[in-house]
Coordinates of all heavy atoms in Angstrom, one line a residue:
A1 N 26.3 16.1 54.1 CA 25.9 17.3 54.8 C 25.9 18.5 53.8 O 26.6 18.4 52.8 CB 26.8 17.6 56.0
Q2 N 25.3 19.5 54.2 CA 25.1 20.7 53.3 C 26.5 21.2 52.8 O 26.6 21.6 51.7 CB 24.3 21.7 53.9 CG 23.9 22.9 53.0 CD 23.0 23.9 53.6 OE1 22.7 23.8 54.8 NE2 22.4 24.8 52.8
D3 N 27.4 21.3 53.7 CA 28.7 21.8 53.4 C 29.8 20.8 53.0 O 31.0 21.1 52.9 CB 29.2 22.7 54.6 CG 29.4 21.8 55.8 OD1 28.9 20.7 55.9 OD2 30.1 22.3 56.8
E4 N 29.4 19.6 52.8 CA 30.3 18.5 52.5 C 30.3 18.2 51.0 O 29.3 18.1 50.4 CB 29.8 17.2 53.3 CG 30.7 16.0 53.2 CD 30.3 14.9 54.0 OE1 29.0 14.7 54.2 OE2 31.1 14.2 54.6
V5 N 31.5 18.1 50.5 CA 31.7 17.8 49.1 C 32.6 16.6 48.9 O 33.7 16.6 49.5 CB 32.3 19.0 48.3 CG1 32.5 18.7 46.9 CG2 31.4 20.2 48.5
F6 N 32.2 15.6 48.2 CA 33.1 14.5 48.0 C 32.7 13.8 46.7 O 31.6 14.0 46.2 CB 33.1 13.4 49.1 CG 31.7 12.8 49.4 CD1 31.3 11.7 48.8 CD2 30.9 13.4 50.3 CE1 30.1 11.1 49.0 CE2 29.6 12.8 50.6 CZ 29.3 11.7 49.9
Q7 N 33.6 13.0 46.1 CA 33.4 12.3 44.9 C 33.8 10.8 45.2 O 34.8 10.6 45.8 CB 34.2 12.9 43.7 CG 33.8 14.2 43.3 CD 34.7 14.8 42.2 OE1 35.7 14.2 41.9 NE2 34.2 15.8 41.5
V8 N 33.1 9.9 44.6 CA 33.4 8.5 44.7 C 33.9 8.0 43.4 O 33.3 8.3 42.3 CB 32.2 7.7 45.2 CG1 32.5 6.2 45.2 CG2 31.7 8.1 46.5
H9 N 35.1 7.4 43.4 CA 35.6 6.8 42.1 C 35.9 5.3 42.4 O 36.6 5.0 43.3 CB 36.9 7.5 41.8 CG 36.8 8.9 41.5 ND1 36.4 9.4 40.3 CD2 37.0 10.0 42.3 CE1 36.4 10.7 40.3 NE2 36.7 11.1 41.6
W10 N 35.2 4.5 41.6 CA 35.4 3.0 41.8 C 36.6 2.6 40.9 O 36.6 2.8 39.7 CB 34.2 2.3 41.3 CG 33.0 2.5 42.2 CD1 32.2 3.6 42.2 CD2 32.5 1.7 43.3 NE1 31.2 3.5 43.2 CE2 31.4 2.4 43.8 CE3 32.9 0.5 43.8 CZ2 30.6 1.8 44.9 CZ3 32.1 -0.1 44.8 CH2 31.1 0.6 45.4
I11 N 37.6 2.0 41.5 CA 38.8 1.5 40.7 C 39.1 0.2 41.2 O 38.8 -0.2 42.3 CB 40.0 2.5 40.8 CG1 40.5 2.6 42.2 CG2 39.7 3.9 40.3 CD1 41.9 3.2 42.4
S12 N 39.9 -0.6 40.4 CA 40.3 -1.9 40.8 C 41.4 -1.8 41.8 O 42.1 -0.8 41.9 CB 40.7 -2.7 39.6 OG 42.0 -2.2 39.1
L13 N 41.6 -2.9 42.6 CA 42.7 -3.0 43.6 C 44.0 -2.9 42.8 O 44.9 -2.2 43.3 CB 42.6 -4.2 44.4 CG 43.6 -4.4 45.4 CD1 43.7 -3.3 46.4 CD2 43.4 -5.7 46.2
N14 N 44.1 -3.5 41.7 CA 45.4 -3.4 40.9 C 45.7 -2.0 40.5 O 46.9 -1.6 40.6 CB 45.3 -4.4 39.7 CG 45.5 -5.8 40.1 OD1 46.0 -6.2 41.1 ND2 44.9 -6.7 39.3
N15 N 44.7 -1.3 40.1 CA 44.9 0.1 39.8 C 45.4 0.9 41.0 O 46.3 1.8 40.9 CB 43.7 0.8 39.1 CG 43.5 0.4 37.7 OD1 44.4 -0.2 37.1 ND2 42.4 0.8 37.1
A16 N 44.7 0.7 42.1 CA 45.1 1.4 43.4 C 46.5 1.0 43.7 O 47.3 1.9 44.2 CB 44.1 1.0 44.5
L17 N 46.9 -0.2 43.6 CA 48.3 -0.6 43.9 C 49.3 0.1 43.0 O 50.3 0.6 43.4 CB 48.5 -2.1 43.7 CG 48.0 -3.0 44.8 CD1 47.9 -4.4 44.3 CD2 48.8 -2.9 46.1
Q18 N 48.9 0.2 41.7 CA 49.8 1.0 40.8 C 49.9 2.4 41.2 O 51.0 3.0 41.1 CB 49.2 0.9 39.4 CG 49.4 -0.5 38.7 CD 48.8 -0.6 37.4 OE1 48.0 0.3 36.9 NE2 49.1 -1.6 36.7
W19 N 48.8 3.1 41.6 CA 48.8 4.5 42.0 C 49.7 4.6 43.3 O 50.4 5.6 43.4 CB 47.4 5.0 42.3 CG 46.6 5.1 41.1 CD1 46.9 4.8 39.8 CD2 45.2 5.6 41.1 NE1 45.8 5.1 39.0 CE2 44.8 5.5 39.7 CE3 44.3 6.0 42.0 CZ2 43.5 5.9 39.3 CZ3 43.0 6.4 41.6 CH2 42.7 6.4 40.3
V20 N 49.7 3.7 44.2 CA 50.5 3.8 45.4 C 52.0 3.7 44.9 O 52.8 4.5 45.3 CB 50.2 2.7 46.4 CG1 51.3 2.6 47.5 CG2 48.9 2.9 47.0
M21 N 52.3 2.7 44.1 CA 53.7 2.5 43.7 C 54.2 3.6 42.8 O 55.4 3.9 42.8 CB 53.8 1.1 43.0 CG 53.4 -0.1 43.9 SD 54.2 0.0 45.6 CE 55.9 -0.3 45.1
N22 N 53.3 4.2 42.0 CA 53.8 5.3 41.1 C 53.9 6.6 41.9 O 54.3 7.6 41.3 CB 52.8 5.5 40.0 CG 52.8 4.3 39.0 OD1 53.8 3.6 39.0 ND2 51.7 4.2 38.3
G23 N 53.4 6.7 43.1 CA 53.4 7.9 43.9 C 52.2 8.8 43.6 O 52.2 10.0 44.1
D24 N 51.2 8.3 42.9 CA 50.0 9.1 42.7 C 49.1 9.2 44.0 O 48.4 10.1 44.2 CB 49.1 8.5 41.6 CG 49.8 8.6 40.3 OD1 50.5 9.6 40.0 OD2 49.7 7.6 39.5
I25 N 49.2 8.1 44.8 CA 48.6 8.1 46.2 C 49.7 8.3 47.1 O 50.6 7.5 47.2 CB 47.8 6.9 46.5 CG1 46.6 6.7 45.5 CG2 47.3 6.8 47.9 CD1 45.8 5.5 45.7
T26 N 49.7 9.4 47.9 CA 50.9 9.8 48.7 C 50.6 9.8 50.2 O 51.5 9.8 51.0 CB 51.4 11.1 48.3 OG1 50.4 12.1 48.4 CG2 51.9 11.1 46.9
D27 N 49.3 9.8 50.6 CA 49.1 9.8 52.1 C 49.2 8.4 52.6 O 48.8 7.4 52.0 CB 47.7 10.4 52.4 CG 46.6 9.6 52.1 OD1 46.2 9.5 50.9 OD2 46.1 8.9 53.0
A28 N 49.9 8.3 53.8 CA 50.3 7.0 54.3 C 49.1 6.2 54.7 O 49.1 4.9 54.5 CB 51.1 7.2 55.6
K29 N 48.0 6.8 55.2 CA 46.8 6.0 55.6 C 46.3 5.2 54.4 O 46.0 4.0 54.5 CB 45.8 6.8 56.2 CG 46.1 7.5 57.5 CD 45.0 8.3 58.1 CE 44.6 9.4 57.3 NZ 45.5 10.5 57.0
S30 N 46.1 5.9 53.3 CA 45.5 5.3 52.1 C 46.5 4.2 51.5 O 46.1 3.1 51.2 CB 45.3 6.3 51.0 OG 44.3 7.2 51.5
A31 N 47.8 4.5 51.5 CA 48.8 3.6 50.9 C 48.8 2.3 51.8 O 48.8 1.2 51.2 CB 50.1 4.2 50.9
I32 N 48.8 2.5 53.1 CA 48.9 1.3 53.9 C 47.6 0.5 53.8 O 47.6 -0.8 53.7 CB 49.1 1.7 55.4 CG1 50.5 2.2 55.6 CG2 48.8 0.6 56.4 CD1 50.8 2.9 56.9

């Protein structure tokens, strides 16, 4: 939408797991 701003970043599941465990991803919905 005209007022919508977002960025897509493709990362591996292993990297995402590391980000959760390191505290880089902190919101519960994403971590779960």
Side-chain angles (χ1 to χ4, degrees):
Q2 187 175 11
D3 61 342
E4 186 175 35
V5 177
F6 61 89
Q7 295 178 342
V8 176
H9 299 275
W10 295 80
I11 63 167
S12 69
L13 179 56
N14 285 335
N15 281 352
L17 284 166
Q18 288 176 349
W19 290 1
V20 169
M21 299 310 292
N22 292 339
D24 295 323
I25 294 177
T26 58
D27 72 281
K29 294 181 300 295
S30 297
I32 289 168

